Each structure stands twice: as C-alpha cells, then as structure tokens.
C-alpha cells in the first residue's frame, strides 16, 4: 500500500485527488494539507511514502517547501501545479530541487480528474525510489555550472541524451 499526502491549497483539488486516487487499491490517501506548514506536521505524523505538492500556496510556496523538505527530510515528491507546463522554468527548478516528477494541472478544476491516470503511474514509480539514495543526492554538493559563450563554428552534429524519472540528477552530473 502506497501512503500519499496531498498538499494543495484548493479544497476542491484535495477532494478530487483523494476521491480519484483512493479508487486504486494500492494507493491510500493518509492525509491532505492546505499549506506547507500543515504538511510539515502531517509528514512527521503520517509518514507518507509519496507527496503531491502544489506550487502556488499561502504562507510558503511549494518550491521553497520542496527545497527545505529535501534538505532536512528527503522523500519522493511529485509537483502537481498549473504553473509547471512541460519544460517551463518552474518545472525544471522543481526537478533540480529534487522532485521526482512534475505533472501540470489542466486549466479548469472540472478537468483535473483527467490527469489522474498519469498521477497514479507517477505515484507508483515514486514509491519505488530508494530513500537512502534520495538522502545522498540531497546532501551532495553539485558544483555550479558555468555557461560558455556560443560556438562560432559548428559541425552540425547532435548528441541526444535521455533520462527517465530520477535520471535528471544523473543527467545533471553528465552535463557538468
């Protein structure tokens, strides 16, 4: 059974996620939180396996909370926000801070249920992540990246590297 904590300031989103995710027999919603301060207490109390985290919330934004959580209590986090479309700056920042994946909420709350199949799949993947590895990655000091100016000549050759969930840290190390 995968224990999930839902952190989102929208009561409607918390309700829809709770209702839809509990339809899956291997997922148990152990709690919900309207902001990171409530989430912090529930993490300690409920010990979830995976957290879904919104970015835009009162009192503390999700990225700040993610940064603090990964520094002190690393665990699998899936960012679920309308502010994180694929390849957006916030999505990339969330991944670099330690999020396992980023799922973009659709525009209206009446279609939020449409992302449930993807969210269920990501929760199942996130639950398999080794927490000891997350702790070691969170404690590792990544050297700063110095961007070089564009090349003045090109060979017109391309190197492609792909990464799956959790592979972004390894990809970051390759690119440094």
């Amino acid at each position: 059974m995968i224990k999930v904590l839902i952190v989102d300031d929208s009561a409607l989103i918390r309700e829809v996620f709770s209702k839809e995710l509990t339809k899956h027999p291997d997922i148990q919603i152990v709690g919900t939180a309207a902001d990171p301060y409530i989430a912090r207490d529930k993490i300690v109390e409920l010990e979830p396996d995976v957290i879904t985290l919104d970015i835009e919330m009162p009192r503390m934004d999700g990225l700040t909370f993610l940064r603090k959580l990964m520094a002190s209590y690393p665990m699998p986090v899936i960012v679920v926000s309308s502010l994180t479309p694929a390849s957006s700056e916030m999505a990339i920042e969330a991944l670099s801070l330690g999020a396992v994946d980023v799922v973009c909420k659709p525009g209206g709350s009446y279609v939020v249920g449409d992302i449930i199949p993807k969210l269920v799949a990501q929760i199942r993947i996130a639950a398999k992540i080794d927490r000891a590895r997350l702790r070691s990655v969170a404690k590792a000091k990544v050297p700063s990246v110095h961007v070089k100016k564009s090349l003045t000549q090109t060979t017109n050759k391309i190197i492609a590297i792909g990464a799956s969930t959790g592979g972004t840290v390894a990809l970051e190390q390759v690119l440094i």
Side-chain angles (χ1 to χ4, degrees):
M1 185 72 66
I2 303 168
K3 298 187 300 183
V4 178
L5 175 66
I6 299 167
V7 184
D8 198 300
D9 63 322
S10 167
L12 178 61
I13 298 294
R14 292 191 309 270
E15 182 180 339
V16 169
F17 282 5
S18 295
K19 180 182 172 190
E20 294 299 318
L21 292 173
T22 54
K23 290 180 181 177
H24 300 271
D26 59 333
I27 296 176
Q28 175 189 12
I29 304 304
V30 292
T32 63
D35 69 48
Y37 291 96
I38 298 168
R40 175 196 60 203
D41 296 337
K42 289 197 176 192
I43 289 167
V44 172
E45 175 190 346
L46 303 170
E47 298 180 357
D49 299 313
V50 178
I51 295 175
T52 67
L53 178 65
D54 189 15
I55 288 183
E56 193 172 31
M57 290 183 290
R59 302 201 300 168
M60 182 188 301
D61 68 272
L63 292 178
T64 301
F65 179 65
L66 179 60
R67 182 179 295 110
K68 291 178 183 223
L69 179 67
M70 293 313 231
S72 61
Y73 199 81
M75 62 187 329
V77 175
I78 300 169
V79 171
V80 184
S81 175
S82 57
L83 300 176
T84 55
S87 301
S88 72
E89 187 177 319
M90 280 193 182
I92 292 169
E93 184 176 357
L95 291 169
S96 72
L97 291 173
V100 173
D101 198 6
V102 177
V103 177
C104 186
K105 285 184 204 169
S109 57
Y110 59 90
V111 292
V112 168
D114 294 346
I115 65 168
I116 295 298
K118 179 176 181 173
L119 188 56
V120 167
Q122 294 307 325
I123 287 170
R124 288 177 177 148
I125 291 168
K128 294 177 183 175
I129 292 175
D130 180 18
R131 284 194 178 195
R133 182 165 169 78
L134 271 178
R135 278 189 279 281
S136 66
V137 169
K139 291 182 180 180
K141 300 274 187 196
V142 179
S144 61
V145 178
H146 299 286
V147 179
K148 296 180 182 178
K149 294 189 179 196
S150 313
L151 296 173
T152 55
Q153 296 180 0
T154 182
T155 61
N156 293 321
K157 294 182 182 179
I158 298 174
I159 296 175
I161 302 173
S164 182
T165 303
T168 54
V169 174
L171 185 57
E172 187 176 9
Q173 293 299 317
V174 169
L175 295 175
I176 291 178

